[in-house]
Amino acid sequence: MACRIGELVLQSRDPEALAQFWCEVLDFVVLDREGDGSIEIGARDGFGGSQPTLILSPYAAPEQARPRLHIDLNATDRDQAAELERLLAIGARPADVGQSGEEPWHVLQDPEGNEFCLLRARISPVPS
């Protein structure tokens, strides 16, 4: 028996705004809202579905160190360059973490500065 990732938790100064960003990036929907302001988003097939959910948890303290975990993305219906353009248009920003420029991925930040990477295609695009 093995485990699977059920959810990832990301602390956020503005869970609502970050949920909107990540829903747009991943084509996710809001699955749940908790009384503490946390928002859980996930794939349209819901909890326990095809992908882990993402919980955006309210957190007011400033970041003190570089996070030890980040998200890597693969475009599902377009090439890397087109997906990069889309992500930048919806609020992602380039991030410099010391890359050489020769990497086959792009390092980006979400609107709150959380780093993530856009990889070159490693999965087949979803047919239209």
Side-chain angles (χ1 to χ4, degrees):
M1 188 77 180
C3 293
R4 78 179 278 250
I5 296 172
E7 57 196 41
L8 300 170
V9 179
L10 184 60
Q11 295 176 327
S12 171
R13 291 182 300 277
D14 185 351
E16 195 68 46
L18 214 53
Q20 182 179 351
F21 173 80
W22 283 107
C23 280
E24 182 73 20
V25 168
L26 300 169
D27 191 29
F28 275 13
V29 295
V30 173
L31 299 173
D32 194 21
R33 293 174 191 276
E34 295 293 327
D36 68 352
S38 294
I39 300 173
E40 187 166 8
I41 64 173
R44 295 176 188 278
D45 56 358
F47 301 105
S50 62
Q51 299 183 58
T53 62
L54 184 59
I55 296 176
L56 304 157
S57 176
Y59 184 70
E63 183 180 318
Q64 295 179 349
R66 192 163 174 217
R68 295 176 56 192
L69 178 72
H70 70 265
I71 298 171
D72 285 345
L73 304 176
N74 282 285
T76 58
D77 63 352
R78 59 190 59 119
D79 67 19
Q80 183 187 42
E83 183 64 1
L84 176 63
E85 186 176 312
R86 185 184 80 87
L87 294 174
L88 294 171
I90 63 172
R93 302 181 311 270
D96 182 358
V97 295
Q99 60 269 44
S100 69
E102 298 299 317
E103 295 83 2
W105 62 83
H106 296 275
V107 182
L108 303 167
Q109 293 178 338
D110 71 16
E112 289 197 5
N114 300 299
E115 295 167 1
F116 64 98
C117 294
L118 174 61
L119 306 178
R120 75 170 171 245
R122 291 179 54 186
I123 58 176
S124 298
V126 177
S128 301

